[in-house]
């Protein structure tokens, strides 16, 4: 059985959605989980549901001083950081020509610079302990491309590069760095574009159906993969990506061929 008994984990973007489910899964495995987010009210609500093994800490992942504060507070209270899950991210949907440069930069700042700063912040305590596991939540859009998602796609591909370089750099200190690449998440992330998307709902349905396992990916399956990567069950797994995509990146599916 996978256990994180006596371990301390940070999950960013844990106020809601995928991050909240990851936090609950790590709590259920026995970890003390620090849920870090910019959404203070939602974050406090999430930890209230998770119980005494969870606490909330305000964190803007783009702010290095925020990271220093967070790591200092955890080290003062618990004396260890075993796990960091870099889950916080933002989305921008828009064509290349309609995407302002500042928007592109803002997406890279949260989705890539954030995990870089987080990895940097926990590296010291993890090196001192001679152990640690860092998991980035990327996306299927970090494995392939998707039109009108250039800023987000670029940020998620960058995460996989960050994971590889840091896995090599930190491996001899007992620290592993891996990436999960889910093909679904919290639908709320798309909320600003819901109205425009209603025009082509069938196209998004077709996108989901053309997979080895049709349909969306349950959030719990993302959390389960994260749990595996954070635990000693994956003790020699580092520098890899796990697609959690129902086989979407396995190849192409032509329905008629299955009838031949
Ligand atoms: N939603 C999807 O369809 C989908 C698909 C594949 C991958 N993912 C990935 O899953 C992860 C979780 O996303 P989600 O689906 O739960 O979306 P979400 O929008 O519900 O959650 C993202 C969380 O990140 C937090 N956040 C945003 N900016 C932050 C910052 N600067 N500092 C700290 N926290 C910040 C938000 O407050 C929010 O709680 C993300 O990495 C996302 O890219 C999502």
């Amino acid at each position: 059985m996978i256990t994180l008994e006596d371990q301390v984990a940070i999950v960013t973007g844990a106020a809601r959605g995928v991050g909240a489910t990851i936090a609950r899964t790590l709590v259920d495995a026995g970890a003390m989980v620090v849920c870090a987010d910019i959404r203070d009210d939602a974050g406090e609500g999430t930890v209230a549901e998770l119980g005494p093994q969870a606490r909330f800490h305000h964190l803007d992942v783009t702010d290095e001083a925020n990271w220093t504060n967070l790591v200092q507070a955890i080290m003062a209270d618990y004396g260890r950081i075993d796990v960091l899950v870099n889950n916080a991210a933002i989305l921008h949907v828009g064509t290349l020509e309609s995407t302002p440069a500042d928007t592109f930069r803002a997406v890279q700042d949260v989705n890539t610079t954030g995990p870089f700063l987080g990895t940097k912040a926990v590296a010291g305590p993890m090196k001192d302990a001679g152990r640690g596991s860092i998991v980035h939540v990327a996306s299927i859009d970090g494995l392939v491309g998707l039109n009108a998602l250039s800023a987000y796609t670029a940020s998620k591909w960058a995460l996989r590069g960050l994971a590889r370089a840091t896995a090599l750099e930190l491996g001899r200190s007992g620290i592993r760095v891996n990436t999960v690449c889910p093909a679904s998440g919290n639908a709320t992330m798309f909320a600003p574009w819901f109205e425009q998307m209603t025009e082509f709902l069938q196209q998004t349905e077709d996108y989901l159906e053309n997979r080895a396992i049709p349909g969306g990916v349950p959030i719990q399956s993302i959390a389960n993969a994260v749990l595996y990567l954070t635990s000693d069950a994956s003790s020699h797994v580092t520098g890899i990506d796990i697609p959690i995509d129902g086989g979407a990146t396995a190849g192409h599916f032509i329905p008629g061929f299955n009838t031949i």
Side-chain angles (χ1 to χ4, degrees), residues 100-214:
D102 282 349
T103 301
F104 184 90
R105 288 192 190 100
V107 172
Q108 312 315 307
D109 205 22
V110 176
N111 298 6
T112 310
T113 309
F116 162 75
L117 293 174
T119 304
K120 199 175 158 189
V122 300
M126 285 185 176
K127 276 182 180 174
D128 291 344
R131 55 169 282 124
S133 175
I134 299 167
V135 181
H136 303 315
V137 179
S139 168
I140 185 176
D141 305 318
L143 294 166
V144 292
L146 186 60
N147 56 313
L149 239 69
S150 57
Y152 183 80
T153 300
S155 74
K156 294 299 190 179
W157 276 78
L159 264 188
R160 294 171 54 221
L162 175 68
R164 279 162 174 70
T166 51
L168 289 163
E169 187 173 327
L170 302 174
R172 282 166 174 72
S173 303
I175 304 167
R176 300 182 294 109
V177 191
N178 293 291
T179 307
V180 294
C181 300
S184 299
N186 186 6
T188 307
M189 200 178 217
F190 285 88
W193 300 277
F194 275 165
E195 210 176 303
Q196 287 153 283
M197 287 170 75
T198 53
E199 285 173 39
F200 41 83
L201 274 183
Q202 189 55 50
Q203 291 173 27
T204 51
E205 288 295 316
D206 293 347
Y207 166 75
L208 292 174
E209 288 308 304
N210 196 26
R211 297 175 172 171
I213 303 170

Side-chain angles (χ1 to χ4, degrees), residues 16 18 37 39 59-61 87 89 137-138 152 156 182 184-186:
R16 70 179 195 192
V18 175
D37 206 297
R39 288 177 202 274
L59 172 79
D60 177 347
V61 296
N87 165 80
V137 179
Y152 183 80
K156 294 299 190 179
S184 299
N186 186 6

Side-chain angles (χ1 to χ4, degrees), residues 10-13 15 34-41 43-44 47 55-63 65-71 73-74:
I10 303 169
V11 181
T12 71
V34 178
C35 297
D37 206 297
I38 44 170
R39 288 177 202 274
D40 297 349
D41 291 347
E44 295 288 3
V47 299
R55 75 182 231 197
F56 178 74
H57 196 107
H58 179 88
L59 172 79
D60 177 347
V61 296
T62 67
D63 186 327
N66 270 206
W67 275 108
T68 306
N69 259 338
L70 173 66
V71 167
I74 296 173

